Amino acid sequence: MYRSARFDEPLLNELLSTSIKENKTKIDKFQNSIKRTEAINIPNLDETQVVRHFNRLSQMNYGIDTGIYPLGSCTMKYNPKICEEIAAWPHFSETHPHQDESTIQGNLQILFELERMLSEITGMDFFSLQPAAGAQGEFLGLLLARAYHDYNNDNYRTEVILPDTAHGTNPASAAMAGYNIIEIASNSEGTVDLDTLEKTLSEKTACFMLTNPNTLGIFESEILEISKLVHKSGALLYYDGANMNAIMGKARPGDMGFDIVHLNLHKTFSTPHGGGGPGSGPVGVKMKIEKFLPVPRICKNNYGEYYFDYDTPYSIGKIKAHYGNFSVLLKAYIYILLMGGNGLKEASEIAVLNANYMKDKITASKNYVMPYKKNRKHEFVLSCEDLKKRRDIRALDVAKRLLDYGLHPPTIYFPLIVKEALMIEPTETESKEELDHYIETMIKIAKEDFELVKNSPKNTAVGRVDDVGATKNPVLNWQMIQS
Ligand SMILES: *Cc1c(COP(=O)(O)O)cnc(C)c1O
């Protein structure tokens, strides 16, 4: 490791306590004190070596451009390159969020129209494009629920109810928004138990959070009944839209009775994700919640000009700097225009077909079992419990062995109500050949040599990591890279 000269902390503190003008000489002294005293020890390589090094590193990565990525609940679909190309145009990429409204009419028109498109797709009345992720959308949604109840002098509602299949971000967001979390058990079909829900709802319930289809990939067919029960108690119904890829053009959360929804543009609307890049989790609401949406709202006046409206006295304020992740919003807008209404509907149909094709072929092999109802939407959850009992092969082992075949594993150990879970979401952008190859590989792994599977992966840059050791003895600084 290289290190600069000793950091003069007392001098820095002295500087911070007085004004900059008075301290020109002290600043110089401080700057000199942090200058390097020895030459930097960096490797001296030629261009060929540098290019090869970084190229090799890039090849160790795996992304949707490398192959199938059936990570359940994440909708890792192919990201059309034309969306990237257009979003990179300087007309878009060189605009600044502080520019005058009159100079960014085109950008505002895109945001305005995207809000209308998302409203149409979900059956909601209004949208806010601000949240930068699904989880931030949930947080905004719950702040809106609180503002709504407060406005109606209903501020004794302190509880948020969730099914035990809920994504981990749901309870986390509800807790961040200051709510107590009540988890209810699913019924034997893997869906919401109406009796349990009815008993749990009370004048203390602020909101019931649900995704439909749920995280098992099962459509909650009693959704209208659920909606009736929730509204009868005076609570709101929240839709986690991360599974919207299953139902676009087929069914709308707004029509099912949901009051607040969030979407994941970086899932359903094909903007790149993974690796912690920018995301987008817009929130849609019914009319009765509109006045609480974040500022600024994007509006259009009688002359057809777009403008920011900050004059909304009941707004919960701002949830993120500026107006959301513009380039992500732009890519989703292009994607929706390219697909059109029928295209989106067809995407959902193929996503559901692909998931059910894989599900039926894999379960027919009898190596993996699938608990709960048999019909699934865009994803399905298998269990390796039987495989574990018979051969001591766990979901984690299957996932690791898939890596040896150059395939990205599914989500594992989620949702928690399925033991040894493998959650598979192929999406609509994979060919039958890709699906067949994945199915065959999974079946093959279930029968493979025990030691081979247990000691996998062998063909990857990094072997099986010691996850227990990493949890008990985390090393999170530069020493981790050196060891
Ligand atoms: C991905 C996901 C979320 C959270 O979205 P982020 O963008 O990752 O914050 C919430 N709920 C479900 C069901 C999801 O799949």
Side-chain angles (χ1 to χ4, degrees):
M1 286 304 292
Y2 338 111
R3 204 174 289 242
S4 66
R6 206 177 64 79
F7 188 80
D8 193 342
E9 203 178 331
L11 181 57
L12 178 65
N13 287 338
E14 196 188 325
L15 274 177
L16 292 174
S17 62
T18 40
S19 93
I20 289 178
K21 251 189 200 156
E22 298 166 5
N23 281 292
K24 176 80 180 84
T25 44
K26 278 188 191 154
I27 289 170
D28 287 346
K29 198 172 150 209
F30 177 70
Q31 284 178 340
N32 283 330
S33 82
I34 58 172
K35 271 187 190 154
R36 284 180 196 286
T37 51
E38 300 152 32
I40 303 177
N41 176 22
I42 48 175
N44 193 5
L45 303 170
D46 63 28
E47 182 175 321
T48 321
Q49 291 169 303
V50 172
V51 167
R52 287 185 183 159
H53 170 70
F54 285 107
N55 212 24
R56 199 151 36 230
L57 279 184
S58 78
Q59 287 165 355
M60 287 178 187
N61 201 359
Y62 190 97
I64 194 66
D65 291 351
T66 321
I68 184 172
Y69 204 138
L71 198 64
S73 203
C74 293
T75 317
M76 305 298 289
K77 58 168 83 172
Y78 177 71
N79 308 127
K81 294 294 163 264
I82 180 108
C83 302
E84 295 298 317
E85 239 168 74
I86 296 175
W89 286 353
H91 314 70
F92 296 120
S93 63
E94 290 180 9
T95 49
H96 191 279
H98 289 171
Q99 262 176 253
D100 190 82
E101 284 162 12
S102 64
T103 67
I104 47 163
Q105 286 293 301
N107 294 20
L108 292 182
Q109 181 179 353
I110 285 167
L111 297 178
F112 183 87
E113 288 178 6
L114 181 61
E115 283 185 7
R116 297 316 313 144
M117 288 168 171
L118 299 179
S119 299
E120 179 60 32
I121 292 167
T122 55
M124 304 307 283
D125 297 319
F126 298 96
F127 255 86
S128 166
L129 303 176
Q130 265 185 37
Q136 201 184 16
E138 293 165 23
F139 180 60
L140 168 60
L142 290 157
L143 295 183
L144 293 170
R146 157 157 309 189
Y148 170 81
H149 289 308
D150 282 353
Y151 179 80
N152 294 316
N153 293 321
D154 225 2
N155 36 20
Y156 47 81
R157 292 185 183 269
T158 52
E159 294 175 354
V160 166
I161 305 176
L162 310 141
D164 55 6
T165 51
H167 194 266
T169 50
N170 289 190
S173 304
M176 271 179 68
Y179 285 110
N180 300 326
I181 318 299
I182 316 271
E183 186 182 284
I184 57 170
S186 301
N187 61 23
S188 59
E189 306 218 296
T191 52
V192 174
D193 188 298
L194 288 186
D195 287 341
T196 312
L197 176 64
E198 189 164 16
K199 281 190 206 119
T200 314
L201 285 163
S202 74
E203 72 276 6
K204 284 205 273 180
T205 314
C207 195
F208 179 47
M209 292 179 92
L210 189 65
T211 183
N212 195 17
N214 65 24
T215 53
L216 291 167
I218 301 172
F219 190 81
E220 299 275 355
S221 51
E222 293 180 305
I223 187 62
L224 296 178
E225 201 51 42
I226 292 170
S227 165
K228 221 184 267 170
L229 288 177
V230 170
H231 290 128
K232 202 172 82 186
S233 78
L236 295 171
L237 189 56
Y238 182 94
Y239 184 76
D240 176 334
N243 292 337
M244 194 69 202
N245 207 46
I247 60 168
M248 283 185 298
K250 293 282 182 184
R252 307 193 305 172
D255 301 334
M256 299 177 205
F258 286 93
D259 303 293
I260 306 171
V261 315
H262 88 259
L263 293 174
N264 286 52
L265 299 190
H266 49 284
K267 293 180 181 171
T268 316
F269 298 95
S270 200
T271 65
H273 66 127
S280 181
V283 168
V285 296
K286 289 282 175 64
M287 190 87 77
K288 64 186 176 193
I289 297 164
E290 188 209 354
K291 58 171 159 291
F292 312 110
L293 284 174
V295 283
R297 304 291 307 286
I298 295 156
C299 302
K300 189 177 172 181
N301 67 20
N302 292 337
Y303 307 103
E305 295 157 348
Y306 298 93
Y307 66 98
F308 293 123
D309 184 8
Y310 284 89
D311 189 18
T312 53
Y314 295 100
S315 166
I316 58 119
K318 249 178 170 309
I319 187 94
K320 185 187 178 301
H322 310 305
Y323 329 105
N325 277 327
F326 179 69
S327 76
V328 184
L329 296 165
L330 173 59
K331 284 175 219 175
Y333 174 82
I334 300 163
Y335 176 77
I336 294 170
L337 281 184
L338 284 172
M339 298 290 279
N342 283 333
L344 293 177
K345 184 171 161 190
E346 202 181 322
S348 283
E349 286 170 350
I350 299 172
V352 172
L353 182 66
N354 283 359
N356 282 278
Y357 176 75
M358 282 188 89
K359 176 205 77 179
D360 285 348
K361 282 228 153 170
I362 295 175
T363 50
S365 80
K366 306 240 185 294
N367 293 291
Y368 305 89
V369 288
M370 199 189 68
Y372 303 112
K373 264 188 184 172
K374 294 303 165 221
N375 273 342
R376 299 299 163 103
K377 292 291 177 220
H378 65 311
E379 66 190 1
F380 59 102
V381 183
L382 298 172
S383 171
C384 291
E385 231 208 331
D386 179 51
L387 197 57
K388 187 179 153 200
K389 272 193 203 130
R390 285 189 292 116
R391 303 201 53 209
D392 194 28
I393 290 176
R394 306 188 56 192
L396 178 76
D397 301 321
V398 175
K400 295 296 182 194
R401 184 64 181 144
L402 278 164
L403 295 172
D404 275 340
Y405 290 99
L407 296 171
H408 198 287
T411 298
I412 58 173
Y413 299 108
F414 179 77
L416 302 177
I417 63 168
V418 174
K419 288 191 180 136
E420 293 297 324
L422 287 173
M423 183 192 213
I424 303 178
E425 181 183 3
T427 82
E428 71 279 11
T429 56
E430 298 306 323
S431 67
K432 182 169 174 295
E433 287 72 23
E434 285 285 353
L435 302 181
D436 283 335
H437 177 58
Y438 205 91
I439 294 163
E440 282 154 21
T441 311
M442 281 198 55
I443 295 171
K444 188 172 161 194
I445 291 171
K447 299 174 187 165
E448 264 184 334
D449 177 65
F450 177 77
E451 291 298 325
L452 196 64
V453 177
K454 278 291 177 186
N455 293 319
S456 61
K458 287 278 186 228
N459 303 339
T460 50
V462 178
R464 200 178 284 216
V465 292
D466 176 9
D467 41 10
V468 177
T471 312
K472 291 194 169 163
N473 267 320
V475 181
L476 302 174
N477 60 14
W478 56 271
Q479 284 161 337
M480 180 177 73
I481 299 162
Q482 290 222 324
S483 64

